[in-house]
Amino acid sequence: MRGTMLPALCLIVLLCLTACSVGTGASTPTPAPVPPQTSPPPIAATATPTPTPYNGPINPLSGMPTDAETAAQRPVSVMLNNLKQALPQLGQSQADIIYEVVAEGGITRMLGVFQSVEDVGMIGSIRSARSYYIELAMGHDALFIHAGGSEDAYADLGKWEVDHFDAVRGPYLGKTPESNMMWRDDDRRRENGYEHSVVATGTSILDHLPSDLRREHEEGYDAGLSFCDDGTPVGGSPASVVTVPFSNYKTGVFTYDDDRKAYRVEEYGAAYVDGDTAEQVTVTNVIVVYTRCRYTGDSLGHMDVEVVGAGDGWFACGGQGIPIHWSKSDRESPMVYTTQDGTPLSLGRGHTYVNIVPLDAAVTME
């Protein structure tokens, strides 16, 4: 038994020595070096570019950028009917300035003033003139479009040598659309009545103006208005809702929309809508002008409204309002607005609505 175990024992010892010898003699592999951790290179700070101020021509009635030719041209003013029966008006939302003034019997009419009618669609309904609307148009050196007028207005149009275009006593009413500067719209004649049916378009106005008409302002003309990017008056009182009663028949309401940065216009308890676009009229600036309004004493109840002179008023923009002073030195001069200390008023860029009301009108801002 011992003789057989010895050789096997020697073999086991020999294998163990061999294994130990191999393990001891092998070199341990060196791991690959790990590159040092580094942060990504910093991103260079980029300065926010400063917008370049606009120094080009502006629309003198809205302060908005335009081209030099448009800025220099005479605007177009249009008499607009505002009886409930005549609504909706057409195209008034594109007027740069809307003047609203009492006419007779508590009703009001608007004078829409457009620096350019080139892209304006339907405009109307167009109604008759009064002398004080003519004086407002003359302050803008504007072409004056109307359909009829009081006898005083007709006398003044001739005496004051106004460039006017009349659908009643003048040659500017056609029988079919676009056949002349104005025509009677069949739908409005049927739905609103004959006297509320005279309309025009921007194209028909431009196509039928006399070729020898002076189309640009004379050198040195000043529209009398100043504008800034944000017309919100400093130190103003809350004016989120401006209520302007003209008479027992008509009250205007202007509600500030902070999203649009503009006032939504209402009348007769509903939105004041442009029938051409089906959208509510919005304006950047709301102005109230207090002045003397009195009956002339004629059988038609016509009014005499003093728009040449000076007085007090209100200005609202950006949901804030301040008292202001207005003046118009003569019928050919523009309406000028200042703060109460005489500083020229800066309007916000955009459309303006001017409410010309009696001295006792109970205008409120809240």
mmCIF file of all heavy atoms in Angstrom, residues 282-315:
data_model
loop_
_atom_site.group_PDB
_atom_site.id
_atom_site.type_symbol
_atom_site.label_atom_id
_atom_site.label_comp_id
_atom_site.label_asym_id
_atom_site.label_seq_id
_atom_site.Cartn_x
_atom_site.Cartn_y
_atom_site.Cartn_z
ATOM 1 N N THR A 282 -61.394 98.963 -32.177
ATOM 2 C CA THR A 282 -60.502 99.203 -31.045
ATOM 3 C C THR A 282 -59.621 100.404 -31.359
ATOM 4 O O THR A 282 -59.264 100.636 -32.518
ATOM 5 C CB THR A 282 -59.606 97.987 -30.750
ATOM 6 O OG1 THR A 282 -58.802 97.692 -31.901
ATOM 7 C CG2 THR A 282 -60.440 96.768 -30.392
ATOM 8 N N VAL A 283 -59.281 101.164 -30.319
ATOM 9 C CA VAL A 283 -58.442 102.351 -30.492
ATOM 10 C C VAL A 283 -57.413 102.409 -29.379
ATOM 11 O O VAL A 283 -57.639 101.909 -28.268
ATOM 12 C CB VAL A 283 -59.286 103.649 -30.500
ATOM 13 C CG1 VAL A 283 -60.229 103.680 -31.695
ATOM 14 C CG2 VAL A 283 -60.079 103.811 -29.201
ATOM 15 N N THR A 284 -56.283 103.019 -29.669
ATOM 16 C CA THR A 284 -55.223 103.178 -28.673
ATOM 17 C C THR A 284 -55.504 104.353 -27.742
ATOM 18 O O THR A 284 -55.268 104.273 -26.531
ATOM 19 C CB THR A 284 -53.870 103.398 -29.368
ATOM 20 O OG1 THR A 284 -53.602 102.299 -30.235
ATOM 21 C CG2 THR A 284 -52.742 103.518 -28.354
ATOM 22 N N ASN A 285 -56.005 105.443 -28.312
ATOM 23 C CA ASN A 285 -56.187 106.684 -27.558
ATOM 24 C C ASN A 285 -57.658 107.100 -27.541
ATOM 25 O O ASN A 285 -58.335 107.056 -28.566
ATOM 26 C CB ASN A 285 -55.377 107.814 -28.200
ATOM 27 C CG ASN A 285 -53.917 107.434 -28.416
ATOM 28 O OD1 ASN A 285 -53.168 107.278 -27.458
ATOM 29 N ND2 ASN A 285 -53.524 107.259 -29.666
ATOM 30 N N VAL A 286 -58.114 107.530 -26.365
ATOM 31 C CA VAL A 286 -59.468 108.079 -26.219
ATOM 32 C C VAL A 286 -59.323 109.514 -25.723
ATOM 33 O O VAL A 286 -58.693 109.759 -24.685
ATOM 34 C CB VAL A 286 -60.312 107.264 -25.227
ATOM 35 C CG1 VAL A 286 -61.703 107.894 -25.062
ATOM 36 C CG2 VAL A 286 -60.435 105.822 -25.689
ATOM 37 N N ILE A 287 -59.898 110.448 -26.474
ATOM 38 C CA ILE A 287 -59.831 111.863 -26.109
ATOM 39 C C ILE A 287 -61.251 112.399 -25.954
ATOM 40 O O ILE A 287 -62.133 112.085 -26.759
ATOM 41 C CB ILE A 287 -59.064 112.676 -27.164
ATOM 42 C CG1 ILE A 287 -57.584 112.276 -27.170
ATOM 43 C CG2 ILE A 287 -59.204 114.177 -26.917
ATOM 44 C CD1 ILE A 287 -56.757 112.952 -28.241
ATOM 45 N N VAL A 288 -61.468 113.188 -24.914
ATOM 46 C CA VAL A 288 -62.738 113.885 -24.708
ATOM 47 C C VAL A 288 -62.475 115.379 -24.797
ATOM 48 O O VAL A 288 -61.557 115.896 -24.141
ATOM 49 C CB VAL A 288 -63.347 113.527 -23.336
ATOM 50 C CG1 VAL A 288 -64.604 114.368 -23.083
ATOM 51 C CG2 VAL A 288 -63.669 112.043 -23.259
ATOM 52 N N VAL A 289 -63.266 116.055 -25.614
ATOM 53 C CA VAL A 289 -63.170 117.507 -25.790
ATOM 54 C C VAL A 289 -64.479 118.128 -25.316
ATOM 55 O O VAL A 289 -65.545 117.829 -25.865
ATOM 56 C CB VAL A 289 -62.914 117.865 -27.274
ATOM 57 C CG1 VAL A 289 -63.145 119.346 -27.524
ATOM 58 C CG2 VAL A 289 -61.502 117.469 -27.677
ATOM 59 N N TYR A 290 -64.413 118.957 -24.298
ATOM 60 C CA TYR A 290 -65.589 119.695 -23.853
ATOM 61 C C TYR A 290 -65.668 121.014 -24.626
ATOM 62 O O TYR A 290 -64.675 121.759 -24.712
ATOM 63 C CB TYR A 290 -65.490 120.031 -22.362
ATOM 64 C CG TYR A 290 -65.601 118.856 -21.430
ATOM 65 C CD1 TYR A 290 -64.476 118.382 -20.752
ATOM 66 C CD2 TYR A 290 -66.822 118.232 -21.193
ATOM 67 C CE1 TYR A 290 -64.571 117.312 -19.866
ATOM 68 C CE2 TYR A 290 -66.919 117.160 -20.319
ATOM 69 C CZ TYR A 290 -65.799 116.708 -19.655
ATOM 70 O OH TYR A 290 -65.887 115.655 -18.789
ATOM 71 N N THR A 291 -66.859 121.305 -25.166
ATOM 72 C CA THR A 291 -67.021 122.565 -25.882
ATOM 73 C C THR A 291 -68.481 122.981 -25.874
ATOM 74 O O THR A 291 -69.370 122.214 -25.468
ATOM 75 C CB THR A 291 -66.497 122.456 -27.322
ATOM 76 O OG1 THR A 291 -66.410 123.761 -27.898
ATOM 77 C CG2 THR A 291 -67.401 121.577 -28.176
ATOM 78 N N ARG A 292 -68.740 124.175 -26.364
ATOM 79 C CA ARG A 292 -70.101 124.704 -26.391
ATOM 80 C C ARG A 292 -70.867 124.093 -27.559
ATOM 81 O O ARG A 292 -70.441 124.183 -28.707
ATOM 82 C CB ARG A 292 -70.070 126.223 -26.511
ATOM 83 C CG ARG A 292 -71.434 126.882 -26.419
ATOM 84 C CD ARG A 292 -71.329 128.387 -26.472
ATOM 85 N NE ARG A 292 -72.643 129.015 -26.395
ATOM 86 C CZ ARG A 292 -72.861 130.318 -26.511
ATOM 87 N NH1 ARG A 292 -71.832 131.141 -26.704
ATOM 88 N NH2 ARG A 292 -74.080 130.805 -26.426
ATOM 89 N N CYS A 293 -71.998 123.462 -27.252
ATOM 90 C CA CYS A 293 -72.878 122.877 -28.266
ATOM 91 C C CYS A 293 -74.267 123.475 -28.051
ATOM 92 O O CYS A 293 -74.827 123.358 -26.963
ATOM 93 C CB CYS A 293 -72.947 121.356 -28.112
ATOM 94 S SG CYS A 293 -71.354 120.498 -28.141
ATOM 95 N N ARG A 294 -74.816 124.099 -29.068
ATOM 96 C CA ARG A 294 -76.128 124.729 -28.902
ATOM 97 C C ARG A 294 -76.958 124.560 -30.177
ATOM 98 O O ARG A 294 -76.434 124.416 -31.266
ATOM 99 C CB ARG A 294 -75.980 126.208 -28.565
ATOM 100 C CG ARG A 294 -75.284 127.028 -29.635
ATOM 101 C CD ARG A 294 -75.112 128.489 -29.193
ATOM 102 N NE ARG A 294 -74.493 129.289 -30.233
ATOM 103 C CZ ARG A 294 -73.183 129.411 -30.407
ATOM 104 N NH1 ARG A 294 -72.357 128.747 -29.612
ATOM 105 N NH2 ARG A 294 -72.696 130.172 -31.361
ATOM 106 N N TYR A 295 -78.281 124.599 -30.001
ATOM 107 C CA TYR A 295 -79.185 124.505 -31.135
ATOM 108 C C TYR A 295 -79.162 125.813 -31.917
ATOM 109 O O TYR A 295 -79.085 126.903 -31.337
ATOM 110 C CB TYR A 295 -80.596 124.202 -30.669
ATOM 111 C CG TYR A 295 -80.773 122.788 -30.170
ATOM 112 C CD1 TYR A 295 -80.821 122.519 -28.800
ATOM 113 C CD2 TYR A 295 -80.870 121.725 -31.058
ATOM 114 C CE1 TYR A 295 -80.959 121.218 -28.342
ATOM 115 C CE2 TYR A 295 -81.007 120.418 -30.603
ATOM 116 C CZ TYR A 295 -81.054 120.173 -29.245
ATOM 117 O OH TYR A 295 -81.187 118.894 -28.792
ATOM 118 N N THR A 296 -79.227 125.681 -33.226
ATOM 119 C CA THR A 296 -79.228 126.883 -34.070
ATOM 120 C C THR A 296 -80.583 127.572 -34.069
ATOM 121 O O THR A 296 -80.682 128.748 -34.427
ATOM 122 C CB THR A 296 -78.858 126.529 -35.514
ATOM 123 O OG1 THR A 296 -79.838 125.635 -36.060
ATOM 124 C CG2 THR A 296 -77.484 125.883 -35.575
ATOM 125 N N GLY A 297 -81.635 126.854 -33.688
ATOM 126 C CA GLY A 297 -82.971 127.434 -33.682
ATOM 127 C C GLY A 297 -83.768 127.166 -34.945
ATOM 128 O O GLY A 297 -84.919 127.607 -35.052
ATOM 129 N N ASP A 298 -83.183 126.433 -35.914
ATOM 130 C CA ASP A 298 -83.947 126.144 -37.126
ATOM 131 C C ASP A 298 -84.929 124.996 -36.869
ATOM 132 O O ASP A 298 -84.903 124.343 -35.832
ATOM 133 C CB ASP A 298 -83.022 125.832 -38.305
ATOM 134 C CG ASP A 298 -82.247 124.524 -38.155
ATOM 135 O OD1 ASP A 298 -82.487 123.792 -37.176
ATOM 136 O OD2 ASP A 298 -81.382 124.248 -39.000
ATOM 137 N N SER A 299 -85.815 124.783 -37.822
ATOM 138 C CA SER A 299 -86.876 123.794 -37.650
ATOM 139 C C SER A 299 -86.365 122.360 -37.659
ATOM 140 O O SER A 299 -87.087 121.442 -37.262
ATOM 141 C CB SER A 299 -87.916 123.962 -38.764
ATOM 142 O OG SER A 299 -87.310 123.767 -40.040
ATOM 143 N N LEU A 300 -85.134 122.130 -38.107
ATOM 144 C CA LEU A 300 -84.571 120.789 -38.202
ATOM 145 C C LEU A 300 -83.763 120.388 -36.971
ATOM 146 O O LEU A 300 -83.262 119.264 -36.888
ATOM 147 C CB LEU A 300 -83.690 120.681 -39.454
ATOM 148 C CG LEU A 300 -84.414 120.921 -40.784
ATOM 149 C CD1 LEU A 300 -83.411 120.925 -41.939
ATOM 150 C CD2 LEU A 300 -85.492 119.873 -41.016
ATOM 151 N N GLY A 301 -83.623 121.305 -36.025
ATOM 152 C CA GLY A 301 -82.895 120.983 -34.804
ATOM 153 C C GLY A 301 -81.395 120.906 -34.981
ATOM 154 O O GLY A 301 -80.704 120.251 -34.189
ATOM 155 N N HIS A 302 -80.862 121.565 -36.008
ATOM 156 C CA HIS A 302 -79.419 121.520 -36.248
ATOM 157 C C HIS A 302 -78.650 122.156 -35.093
ATOM 158 O O HIS A 302 -79.145 123.055 -34.404
ATOM 159 C CB HIS A 302 -79.076 122.243 -37.551
ATOM 160 C CG HIS A 302 -79.519 121.481 -38.765
ATOM 161 N ND1 HIS A 302 -79.722 122.085 -39.986
ATOM 162 C CD2 HIS A 302 -79.797 120.167 -38.947
ATOM 163 C CE1 HIS A 302 -80.106 121.173 -40.872
ATOM 164 N NE2 HIS A 302 -80.156 120.007 -40.262
ATOM 165 N N MET A 303 -77.414 121.695 -34.908
ATOM 166 C CA MET A 303 -76.558 122.161 -33.830
ATOM 167 C C MET A 303 -75.456 123.058 -34.354
ATOM 168 O O MET A 303 -75.047 122.955 -35.522
ATOM 169 C CB MET A 303 -75.927 120.968 -33.107
ATOM 170 C CG MET A 303 -76.911 119.980 -32.512
ATOM 171 S SD MET A 303 -77.763 120.637 -31.079
ATOM 172 C CE MET A 303 -76.407 120.788 -29.906
ATOM 173 N N ASP A 304 -74.955 123.900 -33.468
ATOM 174 C CA ASP A 304 -73.737 124.663 -33.729
ATOM 175 C C ASP A 304 -72.733 124.247 -32.657
ATOM 176 O O ASP A 304 -73.002 124.402 -31.458
ATOM 177 C CB ASP A 304 -74.010 126.164 -33.659
ATOM 178 C CG ASP A 304 -72.764 126.982 -33.946
ATOM 179 O OD1 ASP A 304 -71.876 126.464 -34.653
ATOM 180 O OD2 ASP A 304 -72.676 128.127 -33.458
ATOM 181 N N VAL A 305 -71.613 123.682 -33.078
ATOM 182 C CA VAL A 305 -70.611 123.165 -32.145
ATOM 183 C C VAL A 305 -69.302 123.914 -32.361
ATOM 184 O O VAL A 305 -68.798 123.982 -33.483
ATOM 185 C CB VAL A 305 -70.405 121.648 -32.351
ATOM 186 C CG1 VAL A 305 -69.335 121.119 -31.397
ATOM 187 C CG2 VAL A 305 -71.718 120.899 -32.164
ATOM 188 N N GLU A 306 -68.758 124.482 -31.298
ATOM 189 C CA GLU A 306 -67.528 125.269 -31.399
ATOM 190 C C GLU A 306 -66.311 124.346 -31.350
ATOM 191 O O GLU A 306 -65.971 123.814 -30.290
ATOM 192 C CB GLU A 306 -67.455 126.299 -30.280
ATOM 193 C CG GLU A 306 -68.516 127.381 -30.380
ATOM 194 C CD GLU A 306 -68.388 128.435 -29.296
ATOM 195 O OE1 GLU A 306 -67.476 128.317 -28.445
ATOM 196 O OE2 GLU A 306 -69.206 129.372 -29.284
ATOM 197 N N VAL A 307 -65.674 124.170 -32.490
ATOM 198 C CA VAL A 307 -64.441 123.378 -32.530
ATOM 199 C C VAL A 307 -63.228 124.262 -32.809
ATOM 200 O O VAL A 307 -62.105 123.764 -32.856
ATOM 201 C CB VAL A 307 -64.532 122.251 -33.584
ATOM 202 C CG1 VAL A 307 -65.598 121.244 -33.179
ATOM 203 C CG2 VAL A 307 -64.790 122.802 -34.978
ATOM 204 N N VAL A 308 -63.444 125.539 -32.997
ATOM 205 C CA VAL A 308 -62.351 126.518 -33.069
ATOM 206 C C VAL A 308 -62.367 127.290 -31.765
ATOM 207 O O VAL A 308 -63.388 127.858 -31.370
ATOM 208 C CB VAL A 308 -62.522 127.480 -34.266
ATOM 209 C CG1 VAL A 308 -61.441 128.564 -34.235
ATOM 210 C CG2 VAL A 308 -62.467 126.715 -35.579
ATOM 211 N N GLY A 309 -61.232 127.282 -31.064
ATOM 212 C CA GLY A 309 -61.172 127.908 -29.753
ATOM 213 C C GLY A 309 -60.282 127.086 -28.841
ATOM 214 O O GLY A 309 -59.271 126.531 -29.279
ATOM 215 N N ALA A 310 -60.680 126.977 -27.581
ATOM 216 C CA ALA A 310 -59.875 126.238 -26.613
ATOM 217 C C ALA A 310 -60.766 125.777 -25.476
ATOM 218 O O ALA A 310 -61.861 126.316 -25.258
ATOM 219 C CB ALA A 310 -58.730 127.107 -26.081
ATOM 220 N N GLY A 311 -60.300 124.779 -24.746
ATOM 221 C CA GLY A 311 -61.081 124.274 -23.624
ATOM 222 C C GLY A 311 -60.383 123.118 -22.941
ATOM 223 O O GLY A 311 -59.203 122.840 -23.182
ATOM 224 N N ASP A 312 -61.135 122.447 -22.093
ATOM 225 C CA ASP A 312 -60.602 121.343 -21.303
ATOM 226 C C ASP A 312 -61.089 120.007 -21.844
ATOM 227 O O ASP A 312 -61.995 119.946 -22.685
ATOM 228 C CB ASP A 312 -61.016 121.495 -19.837
ATOM 229 C CG ASP A 312 -60.407 122.734 -19.197
ATOM 230 O OD1 ASP A 312 -59.224 123.019 -19.483
ATOM 231 O OD2 ASP A 312 -61.120 123.413 -18.428
ATOM 232 N N GLY A 313 -60.496 118.945 -21.330
ATOM 233 C CA GLY A 313 -60.895 117.615 -21.773
ATOM 234 C C GLY A 313 -60.204 116.538 -20.978
ATOM 235 O O GLY A 313 -59.632 116.789 -19.908
ATOM 236 N N TRP A 314 -60.244 115.309 -21.503
ATOM 237 C CA TRP A 314 -59.622 114.151 -20.883
ATOM 238 C C TRP A 314 -58.870 113.350 -21.928
ATOM 239 O O TRP A 314 -59.224 113.358 -23.110
ATOM 240 C CB TRP A 314 -60.682 113.241 -20.239
ATOM 241 C CG TRP A 314 -61.295 113.785 -19.002
ATOM 242 C CD1 TRP A 314 -62.474 114.482 -18.900
ATOM 243 C CD2 TRP A 314 -60.782 113.682 -17.676
ATOM 244 N NE1 TRP A 314 -62.717 114.818 -17.600
ATOM 245 C CE2 TRP A 314 -61.695 114.343 -16.820
ATOM 246 C CE3 TRP A 314 -59.636 113.090 -17.124
ATOM 247 C CZ2 TRP A 314 -61.492 114.419 -15.444
ATOM 248 C CZ3 TRP A 314 -59.438 113.177 -15.751
ATOM 249 C CH2 TRP A 314 -60.361 113.838 -14.925
ATOM 250 N N PHE A 315 -57.854 112.648 -21.464
ATOM 251 C CA PHE A 315 -57.093 111.740 -22.326
ATOM 252 C C PHE A 315 -56.925 110.429 -21.600
ATOM 253 O O PHE A 315 -56.553 110.389 -20.424
ATOM 254 C CB PHE A 315 -55.719 112.335 -22.651
ATOM 255 C CG PHE A 315 -54.758 111.362 -23.284
ATOM 256 C CD1 PHE A 315 -55.013 110.816 -24.536
ATOM 257 C CD2 PHE A 315 -53.591 110.973 -22.619
ATOM 258 C CE1 PHE A 315 -54.133 109.913 -25.124
ATOM 259 C CE2 PHE A 315 -52.701 110.076 -23.201
ATOM 260 C CZ PHE A 315 -52.979 109.548 -24.459
#
